[in-house]
Amino acid sequence: MKLYLEMFIVFFKIGCLAFGGGYAVIGLLQKEIVELKQWVDNDELTDIMAISQTLPGIIFVNSATMIGYRKKGILGATVATVSSVMPTFFLILILTFVIWGVTDNPIVHKAFTGILLGVTALILNSVKKTWKTAVKHYPDIILAVTATVLLLFTGLNVVLILLLMAGLGFAKNLYALKKEAEKLEAR
């Protein structure tokens, strides 16, 4: 029971701070889930984030669900999912009633601009942390740059780019395994 309460508090807290969506929350997940709670390690979190991006829905909620399931099965996934969406649900209710009529106000507009700049910094920090765990070899850099170029400069669908990178990453690792087997055979 203690772990369920702890999961609820952690995912609720992250949900309260998850401005900017899934990419901005990577740093928070890394700090809370990997460093403080040690529920998963960096590589597992990177895998969870990659899978969460390919699934429909909100990246943070998908990640919370998978981490909750990993720790405590279906009930853990349910607790993590509900606690991760509660802050957003209540915030949307409040914003609908309070701010809806003042979005043209210059002060409100400047506040949202400040939030957007803060979210940009969170996303860049997440890119840096993800880069450290995902990019380990020269071919990884080529794949990351290729994916970035395809995303920024083509009209290709994100899912197609993810599938292409998954295929290329699989082929790269298969080739590396084959080379390693050949080295062992030669000895």
Side-chain angles (χ1 to χ4, degrees):
M1 194 65 180
K2 181 182 176 191
L3 184 57
Y4 292 116
L5 179 60
E6 193 175 358
M7 284 173 56
F8 182 89
I9 291 168
V10 167
F11 287 114
F12 186 86
K13 179 172 72 172
I14 294 172
C16 289
L17 303 172
F19 291 102
Y23 302 110
V25 82
I26 293 172
L28 294 169
L29 280 172
Q30 200 274 336
K31 182 73 172 174
E32 288 287 330
I33 305 302
V34 175
E35 293 176 19
L36 297 177
K37 299 298 179 188
Q38 298 179 349
W39 290 341
V40 295
D41 62 29
N42 271 325
D43 290 336
E44 289 172 310
L45 181 62
T46 301
D47 292 344
I48 287 169
M49 293 304 294
I51 293 167
S52 296
Q53 291 176 52
T54 62
L55 297 172
I58 301 165
I59 296 170
F60 167 56
V61 176
N62 292 344
S63 300
T65 303
M66 290 179 8
I67 293 166
Y69 183 80
R70 180 159 170 73
K71 288 305 293 175
K72 286 302 235 177
I74 296 292
L75 186 55
T78 304
V79 168
T81 303
V82 169
S83 62
S84 66
V85 299
M86 282 179 68
T88 304
F89 175 76
F90 290 122
L91 184 60
I92 287 172
L93 280 178
I94 292 167
L95 289 177
T96 299
F97 292 111
V98 174
I99 295 185
W100 192 259
V102 294
T103 54
D104 292 334
N105 183 314
I107 295 170
V108 173
H109 182 69
K110 287 179 183 180
F112 282 127
T113 301
I115 291 172
L116 182 60
L117 294 172
V119 167
T120 302
L122 287 172
I123 291 171
L124 290 174
N125 185 45
S126 297
V127 167
K128 182 182 106 181
K129 287 183 178 187
T130 304
W131 184 273
K132 286 180 181 178
T133 58
V135 179
K136 296 179 181 173
H137 307 289
Y138 183 72
D140 297 335
I141 295 171
I142 293 171
L143 289 177
V145 169
T146 302
T148 303
V149 168
L150 289 173
L151 281 169
L152 294 176
F153 301 110
T154 71
L156 287 176
N157 187 306
V158 173
V159 174
L160 292 175
I161 294 171
L162 286 173
L163 290 173
L164 174 65
M165 291 302 115
L168 290 173
F170 180 77
K172 174 195 77 95
N173 287 323
L174 198 60
Y175 179 77
L177 286 173
K178 181 181 174 189
K179 286 293 187 187
E180 188 66 31
E182 288 173 0
K183 282 182 185 177
L184 289 174
E185 224 174 75
R187 291 181 186 177

